[in-house]
Amino acid sequence: MKLIALEEAFWYDGLETDGTIEGRSPVKPVKQADWERRLGDFTEFRLPEMDEAGIDMQVLSLTAPGIQMQPDPKVAVADARAANDFLAAVVRERPDRFQGLAAVPLQDPDQAVAELRRAVDELGLCGVLVNDHTLGHYLDEPRYAPFWEALQQLGVALYLHPNPVPSDAWHVLEGYPGLDHALWSWNHRTGGHALRLIFGGVFDRFPGAQVILGHMGEFLPAQLFRVDIRFRDLDPQYQNHLEKPPSAYFGANIAITTSGVFSHPALMDAVQTIGVDNVMFSVDYPYEESVPAAEFMRTAPLAPADKARVAYGNAERILRLDR
Ligand code: MN
């Protein structure tokens, strides 16, 4: 069975931005070193691991936080261009095995629109990946309306990925750095960002916008029933004039991937909650291993046609890989 994975990270050393987050990482140094070795590689470790797992294609993106915590907008613009040029060259080398999601310098919304258009129209990248907030700015802010307009017009998806640098300090996590990580808080923060997009009316204003969430939907599929039923009872001023209940934006505008969550119960919850057309296989290379991820997909308790949708069909449709 064909497999397309779409939350697959790389790093490019030619950037002025230091993309590493070692100072904050609670991860074992040996693991961190292995990840860093693999992030800059495409042929020595990456392709052999893809072959071993039977993964046909990785859709690549600059690893988090990418350029998004770069305080100088001019540097962010230059680094986004350099990263996207590098990524496009990797894709041109092996378009059968690699596609790419662009980095965008959201520090300067006009420049982000320009780079989005260049990345898609000139470089042939198939969407963008944004690591949650950009220096504390979220994508429901009015300054990003032209960016959503351009995404909708180009017909490309925005992958909303966690940002390991939090925009604020959560008191509940104080003293437990292990919780302020991929184990828990990144996912809740990113899920919160997705709910901001819904409650901010982004999808009412841009009904053609397509967002992708990783990590089996950042906890949201399991919560959607309660989101809707508590939304029903909100004072109207807090319902923000949404055109439909929050869960209805899943499928219409939000799809999810399995990155880092290779659990059949979690997969079945997501498939049953938001629909089999809206769930896509992903690994989260190099942070997760491809072989067990592929095994999870191949053995998923889904009918063959549904499994094919999750394994590659939905990705081809949503990322328009057949263009
Ligand atoms: Mn990831």
Side-chain angles (χ1 to χ4, degrees):
M1 186 179 60
K2 186 170 170 180
L3 285 175
I4 297 175
L6 53 147
E7 192 196 306
E8 317 309 324
F10 77 96
W11 185 251
Y12 169 49
D13 273 332
L15 305 182
E16 194 169 321
T17 302
D18 178 7
T20 57
I21 49 161
E22 288 124 302
R24 297 174 167 274
S25 176
V27 173
K28 295 172 191 150
V30 60
K31 199 81 195 166
Q32 192 76 37
D34 182 52
W35 290 344
E36 276 163 30
R37 185 171 69 130
R38 289 167 181 274
L39 281 169
D41 159 80
F42 298 90
T43 52
E44 187 184 354
F45 308 113
R46 192 182 297 258
L47 276 171
E49 183 171 316
M50 288 166 66
D51 289 340
E52 189 191 355
I55 292 175
D56 295 84
M57 180 179 287
Q58 280 194 352
V59 181
L60 300 164
S61 50
L62 204 57
T63 199
I67 57 162
Q68 278 178 256
M69 299 311 290
Q70 170 55 250
D72 182 338
K74 286 195 173 65
V75 175
V77 169
D79 274 356
R81 286 184 71 94
N84 294 334
D85 286 343
F86 174 81
L87 176 55
V90 171
V91 170
R92 265 197 303 275
E93 195 83 12
R94 291 304 302 270
D96 54 327
R97 306 304 302 275
F98 297 126
Q99 291 291 318
L101 297 171
V104 277
L106 291 161
Q107 290 87 338
D108 180 335
D110 291 340
Q111 291 294 322
V113 170
E115 183 57 16
L116 164 66
R117 291 190 179 283
R118 190 185 78 92
V120 174
D121 287 340
E122 291 174 34
L123 301 180
L125 300 180
C126 62
V128 299
L129 183 136
V130 174
N131 298 295
D132 194 10
H133 65 96
T134 303
L135 301 170
H137 289 285
Y138 290 96
L139 289 165
D140 59 311
E141 294 174 29
R143 69 202 303 243
Y144 293 124
F147 183 65
W148 286 108
E149 184 82 56
L151 284 166
Q152 179 174 260
Q153 191 246 323
L154 291 165
V156 295
L158 182 151
Y159 201 119
L160 188 63
H161 185 276
N163 185 335
V165 185
S167 63
D168 49 16
W170 285 9
H171 181 56
V172 67
L173 301 176
E174 261 173 32
Y176 299 94
L179 293 177
D180 201 358
H181 196 248
L183 184 155
W184 192 83
S185 79
W186 295 7
N187 310 94
H188 269 296
R189 295 181 203 272
T190 312
H193 193 163
L195 290 174
R196 290 185 71 97
L197 300 181
I198 294 174
F199 274 67
V202 168
F203 303 122
D204 291 336
R205 281 178 282 135
F206 305 101
Q210 175 71 59
V211 167
I212 302 168
L213 298 174
H215 317 108
M216 212 61 93
E218 312 292 19
F219 301 135
L220 291 173
Q223 180 71 5
L224 281 184
F225 177 87
R226 187 158 166 81
V227 168
D228 276 357
I229 214 160
R230 292 292 92 225
F231 178 79
R232 176 199 64 192
D233 291 344
L234 288 179
D235 185 302
Q237 65 174 312
Y238 301 122
Q239 288 181 329
N240 294 18
H241 308 289
L242 293 194
E243 289 175 6
K244 34 190 188 188
S247 72
Y249 296 90
F250 281 76
N253 302 100
I254 301 176
I256 72 168
T257 77
T258 68
S259 61
V261 184
F262 313 127
S263 153
H264 288 156
L267 173 68
M268 298 317 282
D269 165 64
V271 162
Q272 293 186 349
T273 304
I274 68 171
V276 74
D277 289 326
N278 306 310
V279 181
M280 298 179 277
F281 174 70
S282 284
V283 178
D284 205 1
Y285 181 93
Y287 306 107
E288 299 294 341
E289 293 172 15
S290 303
V291 170
E295 180 67 10
F296 147 83
M297 190 64 249
R298 291 203 176 85
T299 58
L302 292 167
D306 285 344
K307 203 181 293 193
R309 288 182 174 92
V310 177
Y312 64 91
N314 294 336
E316 288 179 339
R317 184 189 83 245
I318 290 172
L319 294 181
R320 298 163 64 194
L321 294 175
D322 47 359
R323 274 191 293 189

